Amino acid sequence: MAVATEREYGLFINGAAVEPASGEIRELTEPATGDPLARAAMAGPADVDRAVEAARAALGGPWGKTPPNERSRLLQALADAIQTNRKELAELEARNVGKAISSVKAELAQSIENYRFYASAIASIAGRSNPVGGSLLFYSLKEPVGVAGQIVPWNYPLMMATWKLAPALAAGCTVVLKPDPATPLTALRIAELAADAGFPEGVINVVPGDGPSTGAHLVRHSDVDKVAFTGSTQTGGEIMRLCAETVKRVSLELGGKSPSIVFADANLADAIPSSVWSIYYSAGQSCEARSRVLVERSAYDDFVSQFAQHAQSLRVGDPLDAETQMGSLVSATHRDKVHAFVETGRGEGAEVVTGGEPDNGRGAFYPPTVLANVDNRMVVAQEEIFGPVVTVIPFEDEKDAIRIANDTKYGLFATVWTGDPARGHRLASRIKAGQIGINTPYTAFPGIPFGGYKQSGFGRELGLETLDLYLETKSVLVSTSPKPFNPFGL
Ligand code: NAD
């Protein structure tokens, strides 16, 4: 089924698509072609207020009384609805973001599994009881934290919405989700599908809008209990400051400059194409993109030339073509930002082995680019470029590899390629990152905690521990003594 283009999308508040009080409707275009895609309503502060009010009312209404097994059933029903509508959702996401549809399909499959994982994980929400001594009984209760304000970026709009929604709903919270204003369409469709699947009104509200106005208003709102944010480290810091005003719970998934570390004893036939995938998947617009490839000096020259050949062979083009491996970037503005980084790299003395010039056609395309002879202290090795640009950096030995890997303000992911299993584990324990891959490029799976060390943020998503971000623990003490308690002897 072809997606109805130029459909108008309202905000999703209290179980229905509604007109924005802001009156703002934005024209969205496809980044890969520049063609019109849809018209989408943008929320302003008054719309956020309305959404938070609906979310608060739902907590005090039927949703607050929905038992865990019913919440689990609803999450499964939403997973089924996404599965049924996957073709429409995949096309919508590919058009909105410019991303290759083959990648979107993988993200959709993971998203469906994520709802199913949290549908099962509900069974793990439990308090505990342990002996206190004397005549006291103690037990704890797990309660939903309340209304969750969730803010997601443009690079994986559907999957990021899923990572946020599934654990919050499993925990019994209600949600006001703010997608990026450029990429709100699949989150809005998911809210519609959730309503059709039976989620009560007000449980899921979606309010696309600009960050510093709409997003900041949501974060500061006194009736929002918890904020979950995915985006840049700079904005994450600002969100933390805003949360401090009302001592709000906050979790942050931020940027990265993650390394692939390739030792000369690695199976290069696996390490090279996997490292290519690790940076060019989603055109490098991934927080966990392995944008620094550290290669042992003795294998460096051969690695760079083989890596560049693979990069050149990638099929870049129409996001809707099933054969495409890399689509466009999210916008022409972003493409220009990426190119400016490459120019900075040239100025710093990096060698552009392949790519490095923007495609001047209609779409926001940028070629897979390889920067060699990079020093880890260069801007291109320290700053998140968030595009299809890799920096390849030589290292001398294991100690040097660990030093360079950790020489960054970020700590999201690291992949180690080695033929020596013990070395893989040694590096896993010494690299300061939330996730380590040993001889595998893969990163995110439902059930496996995902999140950052250092300025890549804190709090883990995708895992059982994520539920705790959306739960309060209440301790209850009960006297079992037949005698009155009279400590002052009154
Ligand atoms: P961004 O920080 O500019 O925007 C992210 C979201 O925050 C958007 O919805 C935006 O509208 C909103 N926002 C911006 N300013 C705000 C403010 N002052 N108050 C409230 N909301 C505000 O990030 P981006 O450039 O759009 O996204 C890319 C970033 O996201 C990259 O740094 C990437 O690494 C990161 N990311 C991290 C993960 C992870 O799991 N760690 C996953 C995906 C993306």
Side-chain angles (χ1 to χ4, degrees), residues 152-488:
V152 290
W154 47 259
N155 57 342
Y156 294 94
L158 184 144
M159 202 172 76
M160 289 297 108
T162 295
W163 286 22
K164 295 275 179 284
L165 285 171
L169 298 170
C173 291
T174 57
V175 172
V176 178
L177 176 78
K178 193 206 80 63
D180 189 278
T183 55
L185 304 182
T186 45
L188 289 163
R189 271 299 282 142
I190 282 180
E192 289 175 350
L193 293 174
D196 293 346
F199 277 90
E201 58 188 32
V203 175
I204 301 172
N205 305 276
V206 182
V207 287
D210 289 325
S213 51
T214 308
H217 187 72
L218 177 63
V219 173
R220 301 176 84 161
H221 202 295
S222 58
D223 219 15
V224 169
D225 301 291
K226 186 245 166 357
V227 166
F229 172 79
T230 295
S232 62
T233 293
Q234 192 186 357
T235 309
E238 174 63 11
I239 301 265
M240 249 177 117
R241 272 192 294 281
L242 295 176
C243 284
E245 290 175 7
T246 46
V247 195
K248 213 162 267 161
R249 282 126 194 80
V250 61
S251 46
L252 303 171
E253 296 282 9
L254 308 176
K257 195 76 189 175
S258 301
S260 283
I261 305 164
V262 184
F263 286 91
D265 66 2
N267 174 1
L268 294 182
D270 189 6
I272 293 172
S274 296
S275 303
V276 165
W277 180 87
S278 303
I279 174 65
Y280 300 120
Y281 182 89
S282 195
Q285 302 166 117
S286 292
C287 53
E288 86 298 347
R290 267 47 56 79
S291 50
R292 292 185 297 151
V293 182
L294 318 185
V295 185
E296 193 165 2
R297 176 89 58 193
S298 59
Y300 187 83
D301 290 342
D302 188 36
F303 183 96
V304 169
S305 93
Q306 286 195 55
F307 187 101
Q309 275 172 32
H310 277 80
Q312 281 160 359
S313 73
L314 289 178
R315 288 186 294 276
V316 181
D318 178 5
L320 296 179
D321 183 337
E323 299 297 310
T324 294
Q325 291 167 312
M326 204 179 97
S328 74
L329 302 192
V330 75
S331 67
T333 314
H334 187 58
R335 178 197 57 200
D336 295 346
K337 222 172 113 188
V338 168
H339 185 58
F341 269 114
V342 173
E343 289 297 297
T344 301
R346 278 196 174 98
E348 290 179 302
E351 179 198 347
V352 181
V353 182
T354 184
E357 290 303 331
D359 181 325
N360 288 323
R362 263 189 334 140
F365 287 92
Y366 200 84
T369 296
V370 178
L371 302 183
N373 295 329
V374 172
D375 180 275
N376 195 56
R377 285 278 103 208
M378 288 180 182
V379 170
V380 284
Q382 289 292 317
E383 297 298 322
E384 190 179 36
I385 298 175
F386 225 56
V389 180
V390 78
T391 53
V392 195
I393 302 165
F395 68 82
E396 304 304 331
D397 54 22
E398 189 176 313
K399 199 167 157 225
D400 198 34
I402 295 167
R403 178 189 66 77
I404 298 172
N406 285 332
D407 178 21
T408 165
K409 67 184 174 193
Y410 297 113
L412 195 54
F413 206 97
T415 307
V416 183
W417 295 97
T418 177
D420 176 353
R423 171 148 66 192
H425 295 294
R426 274 198 303 278
L427 265 82
S429 72
R430 289 178 196 161
I431 292 174
K432 295 189 185 341
Q435 294 83 228
I436 310 282
I438 303 175
N439 294 331
T440 173
Y442 295 118
T443 53
F445 292 92
I448 298 183
F450 184 98
Y453 275 36
K454 303 196 278 186
Q455 293 190 35
S456 290
F458 52 85
R460 293 291 178 269
E461 296 195 301
L462 287 180
L464 278 180
E465 40 279 87
T466 314
L467 291 168
D468 274 331
L469 302 177
Y470 294 97
L471 292 166
E472 293 282 13
T473 301
K474 182 182 278 176
S475 296
V476 182
L477 280 169
V478 185
S479 168
T480 58
S481 168
K483 293 188 203 152
F485 180 60
N486 189 359
F488 291 126

Side-chain angles (χ1 to χ4, degrees), residues 49-71:
D49 291 347
R50 223 172 6 144
V52 173
E53 203 179 308
R56 177 61 58 192
L59 264 182
W63 183 247
K65 299 184 190 70
T66 304
N69 59 346
E70 175 62 7
R71 295 206 303 273

